[in-house]
C-alpha cells in the first residue's frame, strides 16, 4: 500500500511516495523494542545485559553533557533523543537514525529528549571488527559504495531490517536459555544488515587493516595508553600510522574532529574529572596525575572544555550524582 504525500506549505510541491505498510511495520517494531528495553532496565542508568556485547541505557530526564569514551559500537535508539559532541561536531540521533562509532573516541554526551513517562531508551551493541571483516570478505559490496571520508562517528538512517534483528536480539532476554544458541547468529545478522545499509562503507573501512581509518585507530589506541606523556606527533605518525605528518594530521582530524594534541587533552580532562568526582582528589593533584606540570595550565584547559573551574565543576557533579 502506498500513499501520496505533499511537502509542507511553502515548500516545493514535490510528490513523494511513502510505503505506508513498511513505515507502520517499523513503528510497530520500535514500539516492541521500546517495551522490551523498558522491561529489562526499569531504572535509569547504563545496564550490562546477559547478552555479550549488548548494553541497555535508560534516562527518564534530560542530562547535562557528560564525558564518555565511545568504543566501536552501534547505538540504536528506541525512544527519545541524544546528542554526542566530538570536538566541534555535534551528532544527534533518535529512533529514525542510529549512530556508529568506528574507533575509540572521547565525546560529550547528553540526553536531549526524555520525560519520566517517555524515557530515553537505547540499545548499544559492541562492534566486533573481526566479525565485520569476516562478513565483509564473504559478502563484498554488490556495487561501488559512495566514497565517504574516514570518520569516527556517523549518523545513518535506521532501516526496518536493522530494527527487526535488534528486536529479536533484545527479545532473547525474555528467554535467557536461548541466548547462547541464538545471540551470536542474531548479532551476526545485525552486522550483515549494517554492511548493507548506509553504514556499510564505514564498516568496510573498519574491516580493512590497511585503511586510513585503521591506521588512525592504531594511533588512537596508542594515545589512550600514553595520554599522560608528552609524545611526539612525528613519532606517532611515522612509527604507528606509517604515514607522513601532513597526511596523518588531515586524516586524524577527519576521524576525531580534533588534532592529536587536543585529543590527548580531552582524554586527560576526562580522567581528571573521574579522579576528582569518584576519588575526591583535589584539582592540583588530579592535574598532575594526568600529565600536567602546571596547575594553572590544567585549570585553563579544564575551563575551556567544561566551562567551569575544575574544583567547582567536580563539586557540582558530585552533588548532582
Amino acid at each position: 500500500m502506498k500513499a501520496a504525500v505533499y511537502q509542507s506549505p511553502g515548500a516545493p510541491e514535490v510528490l513523494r511516495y511513502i510505503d505506508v505498510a513498511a513505515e507502520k511495520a517499523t513503528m510497530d517494531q520500535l514500539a516492541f523494542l521500546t517495551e522490551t528495553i523498558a522491561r529489562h532496565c526499569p531504572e535509569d542508568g547504563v545496564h550490562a545485559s546477559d547478552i555479550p556485547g549488548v548494553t541497555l541505557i535508560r534516562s527518564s530526564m534530560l542530562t547535562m553533557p557528560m564525558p564518555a569514551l565511545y568504543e566501536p559500537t552501534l547505538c540504536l535508539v528506541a525512544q527519545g533523543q541524544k546528542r554526542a559532541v566530538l570536538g566541534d561536531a555535534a551528532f544527534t540521533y533518535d529512533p529514525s537514525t542510529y549512530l556508529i562509532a568506528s574507533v575509540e573516541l572521547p565525546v560529550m554526551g547528553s540526553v536531549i529528549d526524555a520525560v519520566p513517562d517517555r524515557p530515553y531508551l537505547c540499545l548499544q551493541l559492541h562492534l566486533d571488527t573481526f566479525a565485520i571483516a569476516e562478513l565483509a570478505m564473504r559478502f563484498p559490496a554488490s556495487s561501488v559504495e559512495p566514497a565517504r571520508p574516514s570518520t569516527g562517528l556517523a549518523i545513518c538512517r535506521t532501516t526496518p531490517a536493522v530494527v527487526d534483528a535488534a528486536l529479536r536480539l533484545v527479545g532473547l532476554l525474555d528467554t535467557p536459555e536461548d541466548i547462547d544458541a541464538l545471540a551470536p547468529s542474531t548479532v551476526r545478522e545485525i552486522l550483515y544488515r549494517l554492511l548493507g545499509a548506509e553504514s556499510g562503507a564505514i564498516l568496510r573501512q573498519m574491516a580493512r587493516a590497511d585503511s586510513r581509518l585503521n591506521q588512525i585507530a592504531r594511533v588512537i589506541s596508542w594515545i589512550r595508553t600514553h595520554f599522560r606523556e608528552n609524545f611526539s606527533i612525528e613519532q606517532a605518525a611515522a612509527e604507528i600510522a606509517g604515514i607522513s605528518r601532513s597526511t596523518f594530521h588531515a586524516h586524524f582530524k577527519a576521524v576525531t574532529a580534533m588534532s592529536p594534541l587536543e585529543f590527548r587533552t580531552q582524554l586527560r580532562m576526562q580522567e581528571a574529572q573521574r579522579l576528582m568526582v569518584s576519588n575526591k582528589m583535589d584539582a592540583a593533584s588530579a592535574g598532575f596525575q594526568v600529565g600536567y606540570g602546571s596547575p594553572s595550565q590544567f585549570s585553563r584547559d579544564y575551563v575551556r572544555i567544561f566551562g567551569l573551574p575544575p574544583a567547582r565543576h567536580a563539586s557540582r557533579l558530585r552533588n548532582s550524582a
Side-chain angles (χ1 to χ4, degrees), residues 51-225:
I51 303 173
V54 172
T55 301
L56 304 179
I57 304 171
R58 178 185 182 123
S59 178
S60 59
M61 62 186 73
L62 307 184
T63 63
M64 60 188 296
M66 293 292 291
L69 190 66
Y70 278 23
E71 296 185 346
T73 188
L74 160 71
C75 295
L76 183 64
V77 175
Q79 184 171 267
Q81 193 175 53
K82 190 171 185 178
R83 178 180 295 127
V85 177
L86 176 66
D88 296 329
F91 300 81
T92 301
Y93 51 106
D94 56 27
S96 69
T97 55
Y98 58 85
L99 179 137
I100 291 286
S102 57
V103 294
E104 299 169 306
L105 295 168
V107 304
M108 298 291 289
S110 56
V111 174
I112 58 174
D113 180 13
V115 291
D117 60 351
R118 195 176 182 277
Y120 168 80
L121 296 167
C122 178
L123 161 68
Q124 266 192 0
L125 175 65
H126 170 71
L127 296 178
D128 184 335
T129 306
F130 294 105
I132 294 170
E134 188 272 329
L135 283 169
M137 287 189 294
R138 185 170 180 184
F139 302 102
S142 56
S143 59
V144 177
E145 294 177 328
R148 299 185 61 162
S150 298
T151 178
L153 289 184
I155 301 293
C156 305
R157 284 173 295 183
T158 302
T159 66
V162 170
V163 177
D164 177 62
L167 175 59
R168 284 184 279 109
L169 180 65
V170 177
L172 291 174
L173 294 173
D174 292 325
T175 56
E177 66 276 10
D178 295 332
I179 289 176
D180 287 347
L182 300 180
S185 59
T186 311
V187 168
R188 189 172 184 274
E189 180 186 347
I190 292 175
L191 298 180
Y192 173 78
R193 298 300 184 189
L194 294 176
L195 279 169
E198 280 185 10
S199 49
I202 298 169
L203 265 65
R204 291 181 192 280
Q205 288 184 50
M206 291 174 63
R208 284 179 46 210
D210 62 344
S211 70
R212 286 283 188 246
L213 187 64
N214 264 317
Q215 289 173 321
I216 299 304
R218 290 197 294 272
V219 178
I220 287 173
S221 181
W222 185 85
I223 295 176
R224 278 199 61 193
T225 305

Side-chain angles (χ1 to χ4, degrees), residues 212 215-216 234 237-238 240-245 247-249 251:
R212 286 283 188 246
Q215 289 173 321
I216 299 304
E234 290 81 0
I240 305 170
I243 52 181
S244 69
R245 179 177 179 176
T247 301
F248 168 69
H249 271 279
H251 286 281

